[in-house]
């Protein structure tokens, strides 16, 4: 059975379409109007092994906030929809990503009890024109709408680009492990409750 989903969300601030294939090969086709954000989503998809199609049109004449946060919402919804009740997955995943002087780790639980622990400090307020505070907004939105408990921490690092990119890659690696089908689950949700 294909683990795919499409979610469309249209508001006065953003118009977004996201398609995901959890069993893809990490191919990304992303256009948000924000080049650095596109680069981060491409990195996420590649390391998650998820095929990702994103089209976001946002109110960039105001700032990048709505575009970034709302894309996180819709991406989370699409992942959640494709998981179809979290049946048969490994559920937990983690990843460590070193990038030059930076080391970031992510631990993730697809438990349908969303939470974000964010221990990431940027050395600059911007990467080019991109406000670094928006990375937390994206991860918060993604966690809340995917049903994931995410702990993301940069253990050390200086370069803001490396800190941001290692976070997206670590999230991708953690998700890749968590969505993997576990033959020992026999298609059941991986929980002592029997449902997530």
């Amino acid at each position: 059975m294909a683990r795919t989903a499409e979610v469309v969300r249209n508001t006065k601030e953003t118009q977004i379409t996201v398609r995901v294939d959890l069993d893809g090969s990490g191919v990304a086709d992303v256009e948000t109007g924000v080049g650095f954000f596109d680069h981060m989503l491409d990195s996420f998809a590649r390391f998650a092994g998820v095929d990702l199609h994103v089209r976001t049109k946002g109110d960039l004449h105001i700032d990048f906030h709505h575009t970034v946060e709302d894309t996180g919402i819709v991406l989370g919804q699409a992942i959640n929809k494709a998981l179809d009740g979290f049946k048969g997955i490994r559920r937990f995943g983690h990843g460590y990503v070193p990038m030059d002087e930076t080391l970031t780790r992510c631990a993730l639980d697809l438990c349908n009890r969303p939470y974000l622990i964010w221990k990431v400090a940027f050395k600059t307020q911007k990467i080019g024109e991109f406000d670094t505070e928006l990375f937390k907004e994206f991860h918060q939105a993604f966690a809340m709408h995917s049903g994931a408990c995410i702990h993301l921490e940069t253990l050390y690092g200086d370069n803001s680009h490396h800190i941001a990119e290692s976070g997206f890659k670590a999230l991708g690696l953690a998700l890749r492990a968590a969505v993997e089908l576990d033959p020992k689950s026999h298609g059941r949700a991986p929980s002592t409750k029997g449902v997530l």
Side-chain angles (χ1 to χ4, degrees):
M1 181 179 294
R3 297 193 298 162
T4 61
E6 177 175 299
V7 175
V8 177
R9 183 177 192 261
N10 292 311
T11 72
K12 291 181 179 179
E13 298 167 341
T14 56
Q15 298 80 49
I16 303 172
T17 299
V18 172
R19 290 195 300 271
V20 297
D21 180 352
L22 299 183
D23 300 307
S25 56
V27 175
D29 178 16
V30 177
E31 293 180 14
T32 67
V34 182
F36 190 75
F37 188 40
D38 291 354
H39 176 47
M40 295 299 99
L41 292 174
D42 180 73
S43 293
F44 163 77
R46 183 160 311 192
F47 287 89
V50 170
D51 288 350
L52 177 61
H53 172 91
V54 177
R55 289 294 180 274
T56 300
K57 291 184 180 178
D59 52 4
L60 298 178
H61 62 287
I62 295 175
D63 64 10
F64 296 164
H65 188 111
H66 298 139
T67 293
V68 173
E69 182 178 28
D70 290 7
T71 300
I73 289 170
V74 181
L75 177 57
Q77 290 172 341
I79 294 287
N80 187 284
K81 185 177 177 181
L83 285 167
D84 188 28
F86 302 87
K87 296 186 293 282
I89 62 169
R90 295 201 182 275
R91 178 178 163 178
F92 297 98
H94 67 273
Y96 280 79
V97 174
M99 285 192 73
D100 295 346
E101 84 301 339
T102 297
L103 179 63
T104 298
R105 71 177 168 205
C106 180
L108 181 148
D109 178 11
L110 290 171
C111 58
N112 216 21
R113 295 190 309 277
Y115 206 88
L116 176 68
I117 295 294
W118 178 262
K119 294 187 176 182
V120 180
F122 288 94
K123 303 297 183 177
T124 61
Q125 292 184 344
K126 288 182 177 287
I127 301 171
E129 297 181 352
F130 196 101
D131 294 317
T132 52
E133 69 180 8
L134 294 181
F135 290 117
K136 182 178 182 182
E137 300 301 324
F138 168 84
H139 286 84
Q140 178 75 22
F142 178 79
M144 293 303 109
H145 292 272
S146 63
C149 175
I150 298 170
H151 291 233
L152 187 65
E153 181 175 12
T154 297
L155 302 176
Y156 44 83
D158 294 311
N159 182 284
S160 291
H161 186 132
H162 295 163
I163 292 168
E165 187 168 351
S166 63
F168 275 83
K169 288 178 176 177
L171 176 64
L173 287 175
L175 186 71
R176 182 183 196 130
V179 303
E180 186 177 52
L181 292 171
D182 180 3
K184 292 185 177 183
S185 74
H186 302 288
R188 296 185 299 266
S191 170
T192 56
K193 300 177 184 68
V195 64
L196 288 170

